[in-house]
Short mmCIF file of all heavy atoms in Angstrom, two decimals:
data_model
loop_
_atom_site.label_atom_id
_atom_site.label_comp_id
_atom_site.label_asym_id
_atom_site.label_seq_id
_atom_site.Cartn_x
_atom_site.Cartn_y
_atom_site.Cartn_z
N PRO A 1 -3.65 23.50 -1.68
CA PRO A 1 -4.90 24.25 -1.92
C PRO A 1 -5.25 24.47 -3.38
O PRO A 1 -6.30 24.02 -3.85
CB PRO A 1 -4.64 25.58 -1.19
CG PRO A 1 -3.65 25.25 -0.13
CD PRO A 1 -2.78 24.17 -0.69
N VAL A 2 -4.41 25.17 -4.10
CA VAL A 2 -4.73 25.51 -5.49
C VAL A 2 -4.69 24.26 -6.37
O VAL A 2 -5.59 24.04 -7.19
CB VAL A 2 -3.75 26.57 -6.03
CG1 VAL A 2 -4.03 26.86 -7.51
CG2 VAL A 2 -3.83 27.85 -5.21
N GLY A 3 -3.67 23.44 -6.21
CA GLY A 3 -3.55 22.23 -7.02
C GLY A 3 -4.69 21.27 -6.83
O GLY A 3 -5.21 20.69 -7.79
N ALA A 4 -5.12 21.08 -5.57
CA ALA A 4 -6.23 20.17 -5.29
C ALA A 4 -7.53 20.69 -5.88
O ALA A 4 -8.35 19.92 -6.40
CB ALA A 4 -6.37 19.98 -3.78
N TRP A 5 -7.74 22.01 -5.82
CA TRP A 5 -8.97 22.60 -6.36
C TRP A 5 -9.03 22.41 -7.87
O TRP A 5 -10.07 22.03 -8.41
CB TRP A 5 -9.02 24.08 -6.01
CG TRP A 5 -10.30 24.74 -6.44
CD1 TRP A 5 -11.51 24.70 -5.81
CD2 TRP A 5 -10.48 25.54 -7.62
NE1 TRP A 5 -12.45 25.42 -6.52
CE2 TRP A 5 -11.84 25.94 -7.63
CE3 TRP A 5 -9.64 25.94 -8.65
CZ2 TRP A 5 -12.37 26.74 -8.65
CZ3 TRP A 5 -10.16 26.73 -9.67
CH2 TRP A 5 -11.50 27.13 -9.66
N PHE A 6 -7.94 22.67 -8.57
CA PHE A 6 -7.91 22.49 -10.02
C PHE A 6 -8.12 21.02 -10.39
O PHE A 6 -8.80 20.70 -11.37
CB PHE A 6 -6.58 22.98 -10.59
CG PHE A 6 -6.63 24.40 -11.07
CD1 PHE A 6 -6.37 25.45 -10.19
CD2 PHE A 6 -6.92 24.70 -12.39
CE1 PHE A 6 -6.42 26.77 -10.63
CE2 PHE A 6 -6.96 26.01 -12.84
CZ PHE A 6 -6.71 27.05 -11.95
N LEU A 7 -7.55 20.13 -9.60
CA LEU A 7 -7.68 18.71 -9.89
C LEU A 7 -9.12 18.24 -9.68
O LEU A 7 -9.65 17.45 -10.48
CB LEU A 7 -6.73 17.91 -9.00
CG LEU A 7 -6.55 16.44 -9.34
CD1 LEU A 7 -6.00 16.26 -10.75
CD2 LEU A 7 -5.62 15.77 -8.33
N ASP A 8 -9.78 18.73 -8.63
CA ASP A 8 -11.15 18.32 -8.34
C ASP A 8 -12.15 18.93 -9.30
O ASP A 8 -13.09 18.27 -9.76
CB ASP A 8 -11.52 18.71 -6.90
CG ASP A 8 -10.74 17.91 -5.86
OD1 ASP A 8 -10.23 16.83 -6.22
OD2 ASP A 8 -10.62 18.39 -4.72
N VAL A 9 -11.98 20.21 -9.62
CA VAL A 9 -12.97 20.93 -10.43
C VAL A 9 -12.76 20.71 -11.93
O VAL A 9 -13.72 20.43 -12.67
CB VAL A 9 -12.93 22.44 -10.11
CG1 VAL A 9 -13.89 23.21 -11.03
CG2 VAL A 9 -13.28 22.69 -8.65
N PHE A 10 -11.52 20.81 -12.38
CA PHE A 10 -11.24 20.73 -13.82
C PHE A 10 -10.54 19.44 -14.23
O PHE A 10 -10.40 19.17 -15.43
CB PHE A 10 -10.37 21.92 -14.25
CG PHE A 10 -10.98 23.26 -13.96
CD1 PHE A 10 -10.52 24.04 -12.90
CD2 PHE A 10 -12.03 23.75 -14.74
CE1 PHE A 10 -11.08 25.28 -12.63
CE2 PHE A 10 -12.59 24.99 -14.47
CZ PHE A 10 -12.13 25.75 -13.42
N GLY A 11 -10.10 18.67 -13.26
CA GLY A 11 -9.37 17.45 -13.58
C GLY A 11 -7.99 17.72 -14.16
O GLY A 11 -7.46 16.89 -14.91
N ILE A 12 -7.42 18.88 -13.84
CA ILE A 12 -6.12 19.28 -14.37
C ILE A 12 -5.08 19.22 -13.25
O ILE A 12 -5.27 19.81 -12.19
CB ILE A 12 -6.17 20.71 -14.95
CG1 ILE A 12 -7.17 20.77 -16.11
CG2 ILE A 12 -4.78 21.15 -15.42
CD1 ILE A 12 -7.37 22.16 -16.66
N ARG A 13 -4.01 18.51 -13.52
CA ARG A 13 -2.89 18.45 -12.57
C ARG A 13 -1.90 19.55 -12.93
O ARG A 13 -1.41 19.60 -14.06
CB ARG A 13 -2.23 17.07 -12.64
CG ARG A 13 -1.14 16.84 -11.63
CD ARG A 13 -0.47 15.50 -11.86
NE ARG A 13 0.62 15.26 -10.92
CZ ARG A 13 0.50 14.59 -9.79
NH1 ARG A 13 -0.68 14.06 -9.46
NH2 ARG A 13 1.52 14.43 -8.98
N LEU A 14 -1.60 20.41 -11.98
CA LEU A 14 -0.77 21.58 -12.25
C LEU A 14 0.72 21.31 -12.14
O LEU A 14 1.52 22.21 -12.42
CB LEU A 14 -1.14 22.73 -11.28
CG LEU A 14 -2.57 23.26 -11.39
CD1 LEU A 14 -2.79 24.41 -10.42
CD2 LEU A 14 -2.87 23.71 -12.81
N THR A 15 1.10 20.12 -11.76
CA THR A 15 2.53 19.80 -11.64
C THR A 15 2.89 18.66 -12.60
O THR A 15 2.02 17.94 -13.08
CB THR A 15 2.87 19.38 -10.20
OG1 THR A 15 2.07 18.25 -9.82
CG2 THR A 15 2.63 20.52 -9.23
N MET A 16 4.19 18.54 -12.86
CA MET A 16 4.75 17.47 -13.67
C MET A 16 4.19 17.41 -15.09
O MET A 16 3.92 16.35 -15.64
CB MET A 16 4.57 16.11 -12.97
CG MET A 16 5.23 16.06 -11.61
SD MET A 16 6.98 16.49 -11.69
CE MET A 16 7.31 16.99 -9.99
N ASP A 17 3.97 18.60 -15.66
CA ASP A 17 3.63 18.71 -17.08
C ASP A 17 4.38 19.91 -17.64
O ASP A 17 4.96 20.70 -16.88
CB ASP A 17 2.13 18.88 -17.28
CG ASP A 17 1.66 18.20 -18.57
OD1 ASP A 17 2.39 18.32 -19.58
OD2 ASP A 17 0.58 17.57 -18.57
N TRP A 18 4.37 20.06 -18.97
CA TRP A 18 5.20 21.13 -19.55
C TRP A 18 4.76 22.50 -19.10
O TRP A 18 5.58 23.40 -18.88
CB TRP A 18 5.21 21.03 -21.07
CG TRP A 18 3.94 21.48 -21.74
CD1 TRP A 18 2.89 20.71 -22.11
CD2 TRP A 18 3.61 22.82 -22.11
NE1 TRP A 18 1.91 21.48 -22.68
CE2 TRP A 18 2.33 22.78 -22.71
CE3 TRP A 18 4.26 24.05 -21.99
CZ2 TRP A 18 1.69 23.93 -23.18
CZ3 TRP A 18 3.63 25.19 -22.46
CH2 TRP A 18 2.36 25.12 -23.04
N TRP A 19 3.44 22.72 -18.94
CA TRP A 19 2.98 24.04 -18.54
C TRP A 19 3.30 24.34 -17.08
O TRP A 19 3.27 25.49 -16.67
CB TRP A 19 1.48 24.20 -18.79
CG TRP A 19 0.61 23.27 -18.02
CD1 TRP A 19 0.31 23.32 -16.68
CD2 TRP A 19 -0.09 22.13 -18.53
NE1 TRP A 19 -0.53 22.30 -16.32
CE2 TRP A 19 -0.80 21.55 -17.43
CE3 TRP A 19 -0.20 21.54 -19.78
CZ2 TRP A 19 -1.58 20.40 -17.59
CZ3 TRP A 19 -0.99 20.42 -19.92
CH2 TRP A 19 -1.67 19.86 -18.84
N SER A 20 3.62 23.31 -16.30
CA SER A 20 4.04 23.55 -14.92
C SER A 20 5.31 24.38 -14.88
O SER A 20 5.50 25.21 -13.98
CB SER A 20 4.26 22.22 -14.21
OG SER A 20 3.15 21.37 -14.31
N ALA A 21 6.18 24.17 -15.86
CA ALA A 21 7.42 24.94 -15.92
C ALA A 21 7.16 26.41 -16.18
O ALA A 21 7.97 27.27 -15.81
CB ALA A 21 8.33 24.37 -17.00
N VAL A 22 6.01 26.74 -16.80
CA VAL A 22 5.68 28.14 -17.04
C VAL A 22 5.49 28.87 -15.72
O VAL A 22 5.90 30.03 -15.57
CB VAL A 22 4.40 28.25 -17.91
CG1 VAL A 22 3.97 29.71 -18.05
CG2 VAL A 22 4.63 27.64 -19.28
N PHE A 23 4.87 28.20 -14.73
CA PHE A 23 4.72 28.81 -13.42
C PHE A 23 6.08 29.15 -12.82
O PHE A 23 6.30 30.25 -12.29
CB PHE A 23 3.96 27.88 -12.46
CG PHE A 23 2.62 27.43 -12.98
CD1 PHE A 23 2.15 26.16 -12.73
CD2 PHE A 23 1.80 28.29 -13.70
CE1 PHE A 23 0.91 25.73 -13.19
CE2 PHE A 23 0.57 27.88 -14.17
CZ PHE A 23 0.12 26.60 -13.91
N ALA A 24 6.99 28.19 -12.91
CA ALA A 24 8.32 28.38 -12.32
C ALA A 24 9.09 29.50 -13.01
O ALA A 24 9.62 30.40 -12.35
CB ALA A 24 9.10 27.07 -12.40
N THR A 25 9.15 29.46 -14.35
CA THR A 25 9.92 30.47 -15.06
C THR A 25 9.30 31.86 -14.92
O THR A 25 10.03 32.86 -14.84
CB THR A 25 10.04 30.11 -16.56
OG1 THR A 25 8.73 29.87 -17.09
CG2 THR A 25 10.89 28.87 -16.74
N THR A 26 7.99 31.93 -14.86
CA THR A 26 7.33 33.23 -14.70
C THR A 26 7.73 33.88 -13.38
O THR A 26 8.04 35.08 -13.33
CB THR A 26 5.80 33.08 -14.77
OG1 THR A 26 5.43 32.56 -16.05
CG2 THR A 26 5.11 34.41 -14.55
N VAL A 27 7.72 33.10 -12.31
CA VAL A 27 8.09 33.64 -11.00
C VAL A 27 9.57 34.03 -10.98
O VAL A 27 9.95 35.07 -10.44
CB VAL A 27 7.79 32.61 -9.89
CG1 VAL A 27 8.32 33.10 -8.54
CG2 VAL A 27 6.29 32.35 -9.80
N ILE A 28 10.41 33.21 -11.58
CA ILE A 28 11.85 33.46 -11.56
C ILE A 28 12.22 34.71 -12.34
O ILE A 28 13.06 35.51 -11.90
CB ILE A 28 12.62 32.24 -12.12
CG1 ILE A 28 12.51 31.04 -11.17
CG2 ILE A 28 14.08 32.59 -12.36
CD1 ILE A 28 13.20 31.23 -9.84
N ILE A 29 11.61 34.92 -13.51
CA ILE A 29 12.02 36.04 -14.36
C ILE A 29 11.23 37.32 -14.10
O ILE A 29 11.61 38.39 -14.60
CB ILE A 29 11.90 35.68 -15.85
CG1 ILE A 29 10.43 35.53 -16.28
CG2 ILE A 29 12.68 34.43 -16.17
CD1 ILE A 29 10.23 35.29 -17.76
N PHE A 30 10.16 37.24 -13.32
CA PHE A 30 9.37 38.44 -13.05
C PHE A 30 10.21 39.60 -12.49
O PHE A 30 10.05 40.75 -12.94
CB PHE A 30 8.21 38.12 -12.10
CG PHE A 30 7.48 39.34 -11.61
CD1 PHE A 30 6.57 40.00 -12.42
CD2 PHE A 30 7.73 39.86 -10.34
CE1 PHE A 30 5.92 41.14 -11.97
CE2 PHE A 30 7.09 40.99 -9.89
CZ PHE A 30 6.17 41.63 -10.70
N PRO A 31 11.09 39.36 -11.51
CA PRO A 31 11.88 40.49 -10.98
C PRO A 31 12.74 41.17 -12.03
O PRO A 31 12.94 42.39 -11.96
CB PRO A 31 12.75 39.82 -9.90
CG PRO A 31 12.02 38.59 -9.50
CD PRO A 31 11.35 38.12 -10.75
N LEU A 32 13.24 40.43 -13.01
CA LEU A 32 14.05 41.04 -14.07
C LEU A 32 13.23 42.05 -14.87
O LEU A 32 13.68 43.18 -15.12
CB LEU A 32 14.61 39.97 -14.99
CG LEU A 32 15.71 39.07 -14.44
CD1 LEU A 32 16.04 37.96 -15.43
CD2 LEU A 32 16.95 39.88 -14.12
N MET A 33 12.04 41.65 -15.27
CA MET A 33 11.18 42.55 -16.04
C MET A 33 10.70 43.71 -15.17
O MET A 33 10.68 44.87 -15.62
CB MET A 33 9.98 41.76 -16.58
CG MET A 33 9.11 42.51 -17.58
SD MET A 33 9.97 42.83 -19.13
CE MET A 33 10.03 44.60 -19.14
N TYR A 34 10.34 43.41 -13.95
CA TYR A 34 9.84 44.45 -13.04
C TYR A 34 10.90 45.51 -12.75
O TYR A 34 10.63 46.72 -12.86
CB TYR A 34 9.36 43.80 -11.74
CG TYR A 34 9.21 44.77 -10.60
CD1 TYR A 34 8.15 45.68 -10.56
CD2 TYR A 34 10.14 44.79 -9.55
CE1 TYR A 34 8.02 46.58 -9.51
CE2 TYR A 34 10.01 45.68 -8.51
CZ TYR A 34 8.95 46.57 -8.49
OH TYR A 34 8.84 47.46 -7.46
N ARG A 35 12.12 45.08 -12.41
CA ARG A 35 13.17 46.02 -12.06
C ARG A 35 13.59 46.85 -13.28
O ARG A 35 13.84 48.05 -13.17
CB ARG A 35 14.39 45.27 -11.52
CG ARG A 35 14.14 44.49 -10.25
CD ARG A 35 13.92 45.37 -9.05
NE ARG A 35 15.06 46.20 -8.73
CZ ARG A 35 15.16 46.94 -7.62
NH1 ARG A 35 14.16 46.93 -6.74
NH2 ARG A 35 16.22 47.67 -7.38
#
């Protein structure tokens, strides 16, 4: 859903690029900051 929409509207692929890792690390470290 989200990836296809970004690809169709903005021509941006949200996976397999350096900023894709930001999504992963943000989700992983969020509980540490939150707790």
Side-chain angles (χ1 to χ4, degrees):
V2 177
W5 184 80
F6 266 87
L7 191 60
D8 292 340
V9 176
F10 302 105
I12 299 175
R13 185 185 178 95
L14 297 182
T15 58
M16 301 305 158
D17 213 320
W18 74 266
W19 62 74
S20 307
V22 175
F23 304 144
T25 53
T26 298
V27 174
I28 291 293
I29 69 175
F30 171 78
L32 289 174
M33 189 68 244
Y34 163 73
R35 298 290 298 189

